[in-house]
Amino acid sequence: MDHHAAMQLLDKIRHNMESCIYGKKEEISWMLTAMLAGGHVLIEDVPGTGKTQMVKALALSIGGVFHRIQCNPDLLPTDITGVSIYHPKLEEFVFRPGPIMANLLLADEINRATTKTQSALLEAMEERRVSVDGETHILPHPFMLFATQNPIEFEGTYSLPEAQLDRFLMKIKLGYPDEASEKRLILEPGASRAAESLKAVATVDDVAQMQRLAQSIHLETTVADYLIALIRGTRKHGGILLGASPRAAVALSSAAKAYAFFNHRSFVLPDDVKAMAPLVLSHRLHLRSEARMQGITTLHVLQDVLRQLPVPVGMER
């Protein structure tokens, strides 16, 4: 598959999703960018904003295996990874795979799962494999985790540790639809469940090829310098207790390449880095308590750092 064919296919996936997810063009572009980068996504928003439908629409569009887990304190690690069960006839233990054996896994309200269960996802997110009873099982390729959490209700929840937050390529918010889209949901029969009837316009093998092409996008040295200056600037900012990690720099580079590819370009612009920075870095920065009390957010910090950075010009194409 060449770049032109891949971009045409990507447009088909985008149009397919937009046909049933109304008023979320930007959010769909973020999800597809994460897919191209092969990263995991944390979706933080109140219930009823269409989080599950968006992930399901993506899974159906690429013909991938989609599983959903409803997280709660009773959920065990083996409920996610699978378990080895003794087979009397074979006289041996047989692995029964859990829902994590999917191309797209949706973990609903991930912060309602205990820390022990959350940690079961950590190996899968980083290594694309799970270990059960000493045996290693490779996950399908591609594998992407989409996790949701409610930013309002915290009773009976377990905050995601920094190590796990750092494994999410992006953290996004869907927000409420615009008035016209919300009205359409009411007036069109079955509009709220339209994702259920989507047909595949691509395959998971196509996605794997697109991921390889997206990561071959050219990142010029001057843009890399700009990206690193942004990362290091977060560590020096007075309102930040813990700045962006080296893993965050790699994640931002990967996301910027994918975003350039999504926008039909063969090279990364500083604007790609700026567009992806809030999505990739906001959940990886930790504010000082004084800054939080003053109403400063990580987004404010990123905007502050970006304002002080000179934007490279005269790039070679």
Side-chain angles (χ1 to χ4, degrees), residues 171-190:
K171 177 181 174 183
I172 68 176
K173 297 177 184 291
L174 297 185
Y176 295 115
D178 56 68
E179 185 177 350
S181 299
E182 201 161 14
K183 185 177 180 180
R184 190 176 174 187
L185 283 171
I186 295 171
L187 294 178
E188 292 187 11

Side-chain angles (χ1 to χ4, degrees), residues 32 55 101 123-125 176 195 197 202 208 217 237 305:
L32 291 177
V55 179
M101 291 295 173
E123 181 187 15
M125 293 173 73
Y176 295 115
S197 58
I217 293 293
H237 194 279
V305 174

Side-chain angles (χ1 to χ4, degrees), residues 50-104:
K51 300 185 290 292
T52 300
Q53 292 300 305
M54 280 190 71
V55 179
K56 190 175 290 186
L58 176 57
L60 290 170
S61 295
I62 63 172
V65 177
F66 171 74
H67 290 154
R68 177 181 175 274
I69 303 168
Q70 181 62 52
C71 297
N72 57 66
D74 295 332
L75 192 71
L76 299 174
T78 50
D79 293 331
I80 295 173
T81 60
V83 64
S84 294
I85 296 177
Y86 185 73
H87 196 293
K89 288 185 179 179
L90 297 176
E91 295 185 350
E92 62 181 24
F93 283 91
V94 177
F95 176 63
R96 179 175 291 175
I100 204 162
M101 291 295 173
N103 297 115
L104 275 83

Side-chain angles (χ1 to χ4, degrees), residues 69-242:
I69 303 168
Q70 181 62 52
C71 297
N72 57 66
D74 295 332
L75 192 71
L76 299 174
T78 50
D79 293 331
I80 295 173
T81 60
V83 64
S84 294
I85 296 177
Y86 185 73
H87 196 293
K89 288 185 179 179
L90 297 176
E91 295 185 350
E92 62 181 24
F93 283 91
V94 177
F95 176 63
R96 179 175 291 175
I100 204 162
M101 291 295 173
N103 297 115
L104 275 83
L105 175 67
L106 175 63
D108 251 335
E109 296 188 286
I110 189 173
N111 55 334
R112 289 201 177 278
T114 62
T115 52
K116 186 176 181 179
T117 300
Q118 287 177 17
S119 68
L121 291 168
L122 203 58
E123 181 187 15
M125 293 173 73
E126 188 70 11
E127 306 295 339
R128 263 63 173 187
R129 65 186 184 192
V130 293
S131 298
V132 179
D133 295 331
E135 295 289 329
T136 299
H137 304 275
I138 306 299
L139 298 182
H141 179 72
F143 168 75
M144 291 167 284
L145 172 69
F146 289 83
T148 73
Q149 64 178 10
N150 184 340
I152 304 299
E153 191 177 352
F154 294 107
E155 186 176 349
T157 63
Y158 303 82
S159 298
L160 294 177
E162 287 78 5
Q164 188 143 339
L165 279 173
D166 206 29
R167 260 70 175 188
F168 285 101
L169 176 72
M170 293 182 187
K171 177 181 174 183
I172 68 176
K173 297 177 184 291
L174 297 185
Y176 295 115
D178 56 68
E179 185 177 350
S181 299
E182 201 161 14
K183 185 177 180 180
R184 190 176 174 187
L185 283 171
I186 295 171
L187 294 178
E188 292 187 11
S192 62
R193 308 294 296 179
E196 309 284 352
S197 58
L198 275 187
K199 303 296 183 184
V201 295
T203 67
V204 289
D205 289 336
D206 292 331
V207 171
Q209 290 186 60
M210 285 192 285
Q211 288 176 343
R212 286 192 291 270
L213 288 170
Q215 291 314 299
S216 69
I217 293 293
H218 179 62
L219 178 65
E220 193 175 316
T221 304
T222 53
V223 181
D225 290 339
Y226 178 72
L227 188 153
I228 292 300
L230 169 58
I231 294 292
R232 297 183 72 85
T234 66
R235 300 171 190 167
K236 298 173 184 176
H237 194 279
I240 292 292
L241 180 64
L242 182 64

